[in-house]
Amino acid sequence: MAHVNDNIKAYKGFRSITLLCLVVLYAPLVIVTIYSFNASQSITNWEGISLRWYADVFTGPESEKFKVAAFNSFTIAIIAATASTAIATLAATAMVRGGNFKLRTVSFGLISLPLMVPEIVTAVATLIFFNAIGFTRGYMTILVAHIAFCIPFAYLPISARMQGIEDSFEQAAMDLYATRRQAFTRILMPLMAPGIISGFLLAFIVSLDDFIITNFVKGAGVETLPTAIFGSVKQGIKPNIMAISTMLLSISIVMVTISYFVSKSDNTK
Amino acid sequence: MPGNKTDAIDVRNAVKRYGDFTALKRISLTIRDNEFFTLLGPSGCGKTTLLRMIAGFEDVTEGEILLYGDEIESLPPHLRPVNTVFQNYALFPHMTILDNVAFGLEMRGKSKDTARKRAGEMLELVQLSQFAARKPSQLSGGQQQRVALARALAPQPKVLLLDEPLSALDLKLRKAMQLELKHLQRETGITFIFVTHDQEEALTMSDRIAVMSAGEMQQLGSPTEIYEQPRNMFVADFIGETNLLEVSVDQVMNGRAVCHLGGGHALTCNSVEGIGEGAKVHMSVRPERLFMSDVPVETESLKGRVAENIFVGTDISTLVDLAEGPQFIVRTSNSDRGNKRIFEPGSEIFVNMELGAGRLLMD
């Protein structure tokens, strides 16, 4: 009998297509990372390893600008991730535990639609909205916009986790003399924790690296890291941009790694 | 009307409706103190709904539920001194076995130390002390089941509710747990209300059984009453195996009813209150209360032909096509083979009822 090989590696071109995809995805990141350690002024000529561009980020002529932008980016990301995670947790509780209420499908659509709307549309719409209600653009408008568009990102891992938790756990808790509140804090919250942490980290990363919406709703003079970087690049790419990009990249990697391990960790084992 | 302080649970005219669907149609029943009480019925009969109403997970549409004389139907679950063993156990997966068992005690305001000490004792009672530090997922189904029991018993509820807790276990373990539950109930002196669709389980464990169907109570009685004196067709058919005959009642006298089959063959059995002369009803006869002979033992012996013998371990079931009536099952215990005869398929024989074996049924 002929052996049928259903291993995907048996398909012609598997290896080359995989390699091509990996190269297109990761070569730019690898090059930026390597050249961030370049001693040269030029972004293309390699002149040996140096940390001068990292030093430049913190002490160079643009350092003040980047420090303020980094402060804005991180405070906004932390507040927006916290707020959107809280809202998403409540939304997931209502959606998963609220029974089959009338507008459930509509509600789910409303929560997840922002993921599918082109970001530029959201950006323009948010800008028009702020103008219409007479909000002055600045730090607050960025924060509000970030909280809003982070909600669906936080919602997905939280509701996925919640769907895996049978409601008999809460019933058992209440049967054992726990109030509704105690059942929520003692039973439901710990079981949902991995989902909530993943949701928070995802929202944090999405907020930290958002450019389009931020660029539209930020006021003059208020910058976040992505808009500050974009501003610098417009005046020519200097190696300090590569250094700062590499730092952002490592923060993202750390966050994604934590998120991965949290979602893998199971407090029920 | 004030409640009786000595009855564990008093359900009065309880109705449960979901929109247009009525899950429970005006149920009234009293469960006594220190009783092993079973709600038995097929799925969808309303038994679990009634249990959840007592626990507080379902509202009572109409009627009252009293616990040792106090109305509880409007109390939230955490204020009712009853605990539940859930069908899927619902052990808290992020807590250790010990913390699971201690949870109810802690919620009742006991200190962590007191709660844990008592939880330890409960684990000893169900012989799981060595697993105290484990998580539920590290235990087998049978062990989880015992943890669920210990957790529900630890706060010393006035009534323990068990929602088909044995249904996920394999047959051997289930049999063992049936006995263990019965012993636990006697040891703790707590009233148990057990929900099951397994009639054998109900007969084995219960002091009294309420047979339910389609949201109504069909019969309430001891296992023997339910089995030997089923009130209606549903109970006779649902509990154990039975043979049914359509009969007309000719005469009721001195506790005996004389009936005849469609073809005129006369049969006598005990009379039943509510079934009078002229009634057309069914008569139920349990297969183990029939025996076969090659000549008629009495005038009432039913003529038939053996269709098949089925060996089922302890018994032999013989299918007999009656000359006047449907196919009958006759069960002969293997230990009775000295007295009772088995005939080859095709044999022309007579089926005889033991005295008092026939039971008239309401529809």
Side-chain angles (χ1 to χ4, degrees), chain A residues 148-202:
Chain A
F149 78 72
C150 282
I151 290 171
F153 291 97
Y155 175 81
L156 291 179
I158 295 172
S159 83
R161 177 78 191 182
M162 202 162 196
Q163 268 155 7
I165 303 171
E166 294 166 55
D167 49 8
S168 59
F169 293 136
E170 289 150 271
Q171 282 178 6
M174 289 190 268
D175 187 65
L176 291 162
Y177 314 106
T179 59
R180 193 170 275 279
R181 192 195 175 86
Q182 284 170 320
F184 186 76
T185 54
R186 294 283 305 262
I187 305 300
L188 197 55
M189 279 296 277
L191 289 175
M192 277 174 56
I196 292 175
I197 294 170
S198 293
F200 175 88
L201 292 175
L202 195 57

Side-chain angles (χ1 to χ4, degrees), chain A residues 166 168-180 182-183 186-188 190-191 266-269, chain B residues 52 57 77-78 80-84 86 88 90-95 104 106-108 135 137 151 155:
Chain A
E166 294 166 55
S168 59
F169 293 136
E170 289 150 271
Q171 282 178 6
M174 289 190 268
D175 187 65
L176 291 162
Y177 314 106
T179 59
R180 193 170 275 279
Q182 284 170 320
R186 294 283 305 262
I187 305 300
L188 197 55
L191 289 175
D266 192 342
N267 54 4
T268 66
K269 291 272 155 50
Chain B
R52 291 173 61 84
F57 302 133
H78 72 273
R80 301 186 189 200
V82 300
N83 290 145
T84 308
F86 290 82
N88 59 1
L91 298 177
F92 306 132
H94 59 300
M95 293 186 188
E106 263 185 70
M107 291 296 119
R108 275 204 140 173
K135 293 276 178 77
S137 62
R151 184 178 71 173

